[in-house]
Amino acid sequence: MPAMPRRAILPAAGLAVSLVVALPAMAQQLLGPNLALPPSAAFAAPVAPLNTPHRVVADDRFAFNATENWLIPHYFEQVREKQKRAARSKKYERNLPEGIRANPAKGDLLPLTLLARLDRLPGPLQRELPPNRPDTERIVVGKNVLMVRRSTGEVLDILPNILH
């Protein structure tokens, strides 16, 4: 093999060094967009979470997940902001049917006959949320959003004081 001239050695060495430096970053990008952090993520300021009260969850399978915990309060916060800016904002009374308390506790049983008369979440919000888990439904009772088992009426999880 012929000897390389000195002028060609320097660019080749620079190329080798740059490849050694760049290979780990390239390998991380080859893993896929979901596994590799975007370059701006390391420098982005953390987003402050909404102030929601701490909740105790008995069974994670039938509890509001992180998406629901963020989307539901955020949606109703946006609705409140629009109502504040509206020229004629109305406050609607949320009268509960007889036999239902305004603040049910986890594990309470709601009467099945009255369960159908309770308000569901608004359509635009339901389209953004993940589908309901089997045999569950999200309903509004007073100021709270509940996850209820359809077959028994049992309250599985509560997001307290979401509506004002």
Side-chain angles (χ1 to χ4, degrees):
M1 182 169 163
M4 290 181 67
R6 285 187 179 232
R7 291 182 198 167
I9 292 176
L10 289 176
L15 178 66
V17 169
S18 63
L19 281 176
V20 168
V21 171
L23 278 179
M26 289 173 34
Q28 190 176 21
Q29 287 182 351
L30 290 176
L31 290 175
N34 295 332
L35 299 177
L37 289 175
S40 61
F43 303 107
V47 177
L50 291 175
N51 292 331
T52 55
H54 178 68
R55 299 177 305 113
V56 178
V57 177
D59 189 358
D60 286 341
R61 294 175 301 154
F62 297 109
F64 289 111
N65 62 24
T67 304
E68 294 165 316
N69 279 333
W70 186 84
L71 272 177
I72 294 171
H74 185 71
Y75 175 83
F76 285 110
E77 188 175 305
Q78 286 179 335
V79 168
R80 273 194 297 280
E81 290 300 318
K82 286 179 185 176
Q83 286 177 346
K84 285 179 186 176
R85 289 190 301 264
R88 295 175 285 165
S89 72
K90 296 179 181 177
K91 291 200 175 191
Y92 297 101
E93 292 293 324
R94 287 186 292 278
N95 295 327
L96 294 174
E98 191 66 32
I100 295 183
R101 296 183 312 154
N103 293 320
K106 200 177 301 183
D108 284 357
L109 294 176
L110 301 178
L112 292 177
T113 55
L114 299 177
L115 195 58
R117 293 181 21 203
L118 294 172
D119 295 333
R120 305 297 180 258
L121 293 177
L125 176 58
Q126 285 187 355
R127 286 189 288 277
E128 289 184 35
L129 290 171
N132 282 340
R133 291 153 192 82
D135 193 36
T136 64
E137 197 164 354
R138 300 177 197 109
I139 60 172
V140 177
V141 175
K143 296 181 177 183
N144 306 322
V145 176
L146 307 177
M147 183 178 293
V148 178
R149 182 170 281 135
R150 278 189 214 133
S151 58
T152 61
E154 178 187 4
V155 177
L156 300 170
D157 199 10
I158 302 171
L159 287 176
N161 298 322
I162 299 299
L163 287 89
H164 289 280

Tab-separated table of all heavy atoms in Angstrom, residues 79-92:
chain	number	residue	atom	x	y	z
A	79	VAL	N	-62.278	26.393	30.180
A	79	VAL	CA	-63.692	26.773	30.104
A	79	VAL	C	-63.956	27.944	31.039
A	79	VAL	O	-64.639	28.908	30.673
A	79	VAL	CB	-64.607	25.565	30.440
A	79	VAL	CG1	-66.037	26.006	30.660
A	79	VAL	CG2	-64.522	24.526	29.342
A	80	ARG	N	-63.398	27.894	32.256
A	80	ARG	CA	-63.576	28.996	33.211
A	80	ARG	C	-62.994	30.293	32.674
A	80	ARG	O	-63.581	31.364	32.818
A	80	ARG	CB	-62.929	28.648	34.550
A	80	ARG	CG	-63.827	27.887	35.477
A	80	ARG	CD	-63.265	27.867	36.883
A	80	ARG	NE	-61.978	27.196	36.999
A	80	ARG	CZ	-61.815	25.890	37.064
A	80	ARG	NH1	-62.852	25.096	37.023
A	80	ARG	NH2	-60.630	25.363	37.180
A	81	GLU	N	-61.816	30.207	32.041
A	81	GLU	CA	-61.193	31.407	31.481
A	81	GLU	C	-62.062	32.005	30.372
A	81	GLU	O	-62.214	33.217	30.288
A	81	GLU	CB	-59.793	31.091	30.945
A	81	GLU	CG	-58.779	30.804	32.016
A	81	GLU	CD	-58.581	31.969	32.962
A	81	GLU	OE1	-58.524	33.125	32.502
A	81	GLU	OE2	-58.504	31.727	34.174
A	82	LYS	N	-62.642	31.163	29.528
A	82	LYS	CA	-63.523	31.663	28.468
A	82	LYS	C	-64.767	32.309	29.059
A	82	LYS	O	-65.240	33.321	28.564
A	82	LYS	CB	-63.927	30.523	27.532
A	82	LYS	CG	-62.816	30.076	26.618
A	82	LYS	CD	-63.262	28.947	25.734
A	82	LYS	CE	-62.125	28.420	24.901
A	82	LYS	NZ	-62.516	27.258	24.090
A	83	GLN	N	-65.300	31.711	30.133
A	83	GLN	CA	-66.493	32.283	30.756
A	83	GLN	C	-66.184	33.625	31.406
A	83	GLN	O	-67.013	34.520	31.397
A	83	GLN	CB	-67.058	31.322	31.802
A	83	GLN	CG	-67.750	30.131	31.196
A	83	GLN	CD	-68.233	29.148	32.248
A	83	GLN	OE1	-67.834	29.232	33.404
A	83	GLN	NE2	-69.063	28.214	31.842
A	84	LYS	N	-64.990	33.780	31.964
A	84	LYS	CA	-64.621	35.051	32.574
A	84	LYS	C	-64.543	36.158	31.529
A	84	LYS	O	-64.905	37.295	31.797
A	84	LYS	CB	-63.265	34.933	33.282
A	84	LYS	CG	-63.323	34.179	34.575
A	84	LYS	CD	-61.929	34.106	35.173
A	84	LYS	CE	-61.905	33.236	36.403
A	84	LYS	NZ	-60.537	33.088	36.938
A	85	ARG	N	-64.045	35.826	30.332
A	85	ARG	CA	-63.895	36.820	29.281
A	85	ARG	C	-65.213	37.113	28.562
A	85	ARG	O	-65.331	38.114	27.881
A	85	ARG	CB	-62.854	36.362	28.274
A	85	ARG	CG	-61.440	36.403	28.828
A	85	ARG	CD	-60.419	36.183	27.729
A	85	ARG	NE	-60.584	34.919	27.045
A	85	ARG	CZ	-59.911	33.814	27.334
A	85	ARG	NH1	-59.042	33.819	28.321
A	85	ARG	NH2	-60.098	32.720	26.647
A	86	ALA	N	-66.190	36.209	28.686
A	86	ALA	CA	-67.466	36.396	27.991
A	86	ALA	C	-68.215	37.579	28.591
A	86	ALA	O	-68.154	37.836	29.790
A	86	ALA	CB	-68.306	35.133	28.081
A	87	ALA	N	-68.931	38.291	27.756
A	87	ALA	CA	-69.678	39.456	28.231
A	87	ALA	C	-70.816	39.038	29.145
A	87	ALA	O	-71.119	39.708	30.130
A	87	ALA	CB	-70.220	40.239	27.042
A	88	ARG	N	-71.463	37.945	28.810
A	88	ARG	CA	-72.598	37.489	29.628
A	88	ARG	C	-72.289	36.090	30.153
A	88	ARG	O	-72.760	35.107	29.600
A	88	ARG	CB	-73.868	37.434	28.785
A	88	ARG	CG	-74.319	38.791	28.300
A	88	ARG	CD	-75.485	38.624	27.391
A	88	ARG	NE	-74.958	38.103	26.109
A	88	ARG	CZ	-75.696	37.568	25.175
A	88	ARG	NH1	-76.982	37.440	25.333
A	88	ARG	NH2	-75.161	37.137	24.058
A	89	SER	N	-71.509	36.005	31.176
A	89	SER	CA	-71.218	34.679	31.711
A	89	SER	C	-72.334	34.283	32.670
A	89	SER	O	-72.768	35.071	33.503
A	89	SER	CB	-69.863	34.649	32.417
A	89	SER	OG	-69.922	35.344	33.622
A	90	LYS	N	-72.801	33.082	32.511
A	90	LYS	CA	-73.882	32.572	33.345
A	90	LYS	C	-73.314	31.486	34.245
A	90	LYS	O	-72.441	30.734	33.852
A	90	LYS	CB	-74.992	31.968	32.486
A	90	LYS	CG	-75.671	32.969	31.597
A	90	LYS	CD	-76.736	32.278	30.782
A	90	LYS	CE	-77.425	33.242	29.858
A	90	LYS	NZ	-78.414	32.577	29.020
A	91	LYS	N	-73.859	31.416	35.428
A	91	LYS	CA	-73.502	30.323	36.323
A	91	LYS	C	-74.678	29.361	36.327
A	91	LYS	O	-75.806	29.744	36.592
A	91	LYS	CB	-73.221	30.837	37.723
A	91	LYS	CG	-71.957	31.644	37.794
A	91	LYS	CD	-71.464	31.731	39.190
A	91	LYS	CE	-70.133	32.453	39.162
A	91	LYS	NZ	-69.447	32.384	40.401
A	92	TYR	N	-74.389	28.135	36.009
A	92	TYR	CA	-75.434	27.126	35.944
A	92	TYR	C	-75.475	26.362	37.261
A	92	TYR	O	-74.432	25.948	37.777
A	92	TYR	CB	-75.177	26.162	34.790
A	92	TYR	CG	-75.207	26.849	33.445
A	92	TYR	CD1	-74.030	27.186	32.793
A	92	TYR	CD2	-76.412	27.171	32.843
A	92	TYR	CE1	-74.045	27.826	31.577
A	92	TYR	CE2	-76.448	27.811	31.627
A	92	TYR	CZ	-75.256	28.126	30.991
A	92	TYR	OH	-75.276	28.763	29.783
